[in-house]
Amino acid sequence: MKLFENISLKPYTTFGIDVKARRMMMLEPGDEVPPLDGNVLVLGEGSNMVFTRDYDGTVITLAHSLSLSTPHSPLLTAWGGMVMDDLVQWTLDHDLFGLENLSAIPGTVGASAVQNVGAYGAEAKDFIENVEAYDLFEQRLCNFSNADCQFAYRDSFFKHHPGRYIILNVTYRLNQAFVPNLSYKALENLPHSTAHQLRQSIIDLRWSKLPRPEEHGSAGSFFKNPVVDEETYLRLKSEHPDMPDAHPLITHHSSLITYKLSAGWLIDHAGWKGRTMGGAGVWPKNALVLYNAGGCTGDEVVALARAIQQDVEQKFGVCLEPEAIII
Ligand SMILES: Cc1cc2nc3c(=O)[nH]c(=O)nc-3n(C[C@H](O)[C@H](O)[C@H](O)COP(=O)(O)OP(=O)(O)OC[C@H]3O[C@@H](n4cnc5c(N)ncnc54)[C@H](O)[C@@H]3O)c2cc1C
């Protein structure tokens, strides 16, 4: 275990905002978690976080060690601090399939369960068998089945208990045969005859639309795609016939039909793509992404996000909720 005092978080987050943490504890696989007082924040690669101030507490982070075990195939357990994309590459190199659609999503294995990361027609929840976490309140290890994790769109049980659980290991159930998941339409026309080929196609597609963290800081998609009722969807569709069609979503526990809209389209059509406010900007190739256009502060990112939320609400009557976590 490594301990740091008064440490800059700039290298530990993808937005590149210069704030400090009073204390940081970095755990390695096998370390025991000591009792902790005061505020605690668990940090992965900081790829979905925006810090607006110094953190007056303990940041716990897991070293990005490659640590894996195969309890029995096709189950694979990965250390929570492992970089998610290293895991994806490892699985394909060892003929275990399914995670290829999640290629190149920044962040760690532990956060993949917190966030239920998703892209190109797949979500982490489709593969997570169980999660081993350390409960900081009760100071004991605990196990969560897939159902216990209460996964939903970019959401999980853990997201509602910040500072309580450290996800130490995630076990995934993978496929032993490669069946390409081409449910995301654009993938059909890209090379996909092997899993490695599909992975490369997805990586190329991703970086044609997103800022590379090493070049421009961001948190990926800043807002969630809003889910609206049928009346709102039909009203918007008649006012804006060029708005992308949405499929009706029917939830199991209610008969309500809802529609998931494209937040990127709403922001783009409100005129925000490519605009900057202070040091924060809207990525010119993807209006869903707010980025660090040059030495931005967390407050500048939040001010830009609020301006976009107000404008979209005024123009379309739709509320945008941040996907990024603002600290
Ligand atoms: C360029 C770019 C593209 C992106 N594309 C996508 C995408 O396509 N799909 C998608 O879903 N996301 C995407 N994201 C968002 C981000 O990659 C995910 O949210 C990712 O899971 C965050 O991982 P992280 O390790 O950086 O977590 P952090 O940002 O450090 O933390 C996220 C949350 O998880 C918690 N957490 C992290 N690790 C642990 C742990 N071990 N135990 C308990 N809690 C923990 C944190 O407390 C926080 O609440 C993108 C981000 C960027 C910068």
Side-chain angles (χ1 to χ4, degrees):
M1 179 193 310
K2 288 184 189 142
L3 282 177
F4 306 89
E5 301 283 335
N6 206 24
I7 182 174
S8 168
L9 293 177
K10 195 172 173 182
Y12 294 96
T13 63
T14 55
F15 231 111
I17 293 170
D18 203 6
V19 289
K20 286 196 170 109
R22 186 157 60 78
R23 201 161 175 246
M24 181 191 268
M25 181 183 290
M26 188 182 285
L27 300 174
E28 299 278 353
D31 280 347
E32 273 195 25
V33 184
L36 291 163
D37 299 325
N39 297 333
V40 170
L41 173 75
V42 188
L43 185 70
E45 278 198 306
S47 64
N48 207 34
M49 290 213 187
V50 180
F51 282 88
T52 57
R53 54 179 162 82
D54 290 342
Y55 190 72
D56 186 23
T58 305
V59 168
I60 298 183
T61 191
L62 309 187
H64 299 323
S65 330
L66 194 143
S67 176
L68 290 162
S69 63
T70 42
H72 59 85
S73 201
L75 292 185
L76 175 71
T77 300
W79 162 244
M82 192 171 162
V83 171
M84 186 65 191
D85 197 51
D86 292 346
L87 174 69
V88 178
Q89 180 70 54
W90 190 96
T91 57
L92 301 193
D93 292 345
H94 292 81
D95 294 332
L96 290 168
F97 306 105
L99 298 182
E100 53 278 1
N101 289 44
L102 304 180
S103 289
I105 297 182
T108 54
V109 160
S112 78
V114 178
Q115 306 285 88
N116 181 25
V117 292
Y120 302 104
E123 282 184 305
K125 73 167 173 54
D126 306 337
F127 304 98
I128 292 176
E129 181 80 0
N130 64 278
V131 168
E132 184 193 48
Y134 186 81
D135 182 341
L136 285 162
F137 289 9
E138 296 191 4
Q139 297 186 15
R140 63 179 181 94
L141 284 174
C142 41
N143 264 289
F144 293 83
S145 67
N146 181 296
D148 296 334
C149 294
Q150 298 172 18
F151 291 123
Y153 170 52
R154 300 296 175 273
D155 199 16
S156 70
F157 171 83
F158 306 107
K159 225 167 162 174
H160 298 271
H161 297 84
R164 173 156 186 181
Y165 297 99
I166 309 173
I167 296 181
L168 297 174
N169 290 292
V170 179
T171 299
Y172 301 86
R173 179 179 290 277
L174 301 168
N175 304 321
Q176 284 165 307
F178 172 56
V179 180
N181 169 0
L182 304 176
S183 55
Y184 187 86
K185 267 250 159 262
L187 298 182
E188 278 174 18
N189 305 320
L190 299 174
H192 62 258
S193 47
T194 65
H196 281 94
Q197 226 176 36
L198 179 56
R199 168 170 163 78
Q200 195 53 52
S201 298
I202 286 170
I203 291 174
D204 295 343
L205 187 58
R206 286 185 75 77
W207 298 128
S208 68
K209 295 183 178 165
L210 290 167
R212 287 178 184 268
E214 61 279 16
E215 290 169 9
H216 293 281
S218 83
S221 305
F222 195 91
F223 298 101
K224 292 184 184 181
N225 286 319
V227 175
V228 297
D229 60 26
E230 189 161 38
E231 194 187 330
T232 308
Y233 174 66
L234 294 176
R235 171 182 61 77
L236 285 168
K237 202 62 200 160
S238 73
E239 287 169 8
H240 308 278
D242 56 330
M243 187 179 82
D245 289 335
H247 297 295
L249 305 167
I250 299 157
T251 45
H252 297 303
H253 41 83
S254 95
S255 54
L256 198 70
I257 298 177
T258 55
Y259 292 80
K260 194 192 277 179
L261 306 180
S262 161
W265 186 93
L266 295 169
I267 299 166
D268 189 3
H269 281 73
W272 285 93
K273 199 191 254 181
R275 277 175 67 180
T276 53
M277 249 175 74
V282 182
W283 188 240
K285 293 180 193 163
N286 183 345
L288 197 48
V289 176
L290 304 192
Y291 76 106
N292 187 342
C296 78
T297 62
D299 285 341
E300 285 175 323
V301 179
V302 172
L304 175 60
R306 290 224 172 102
I308 292 173
Q309 282 171 312
Q310 278 167 9
D311 198 31
V312 165
E313 168 113 53
Q314 202 177 33
K315 288 187 169 127
F316 301 103
V318 174
C319 252
L320 291 180
E321 195 192 321
E323 179 181 321
I325 299 159
I326 295 157
I327 309 278

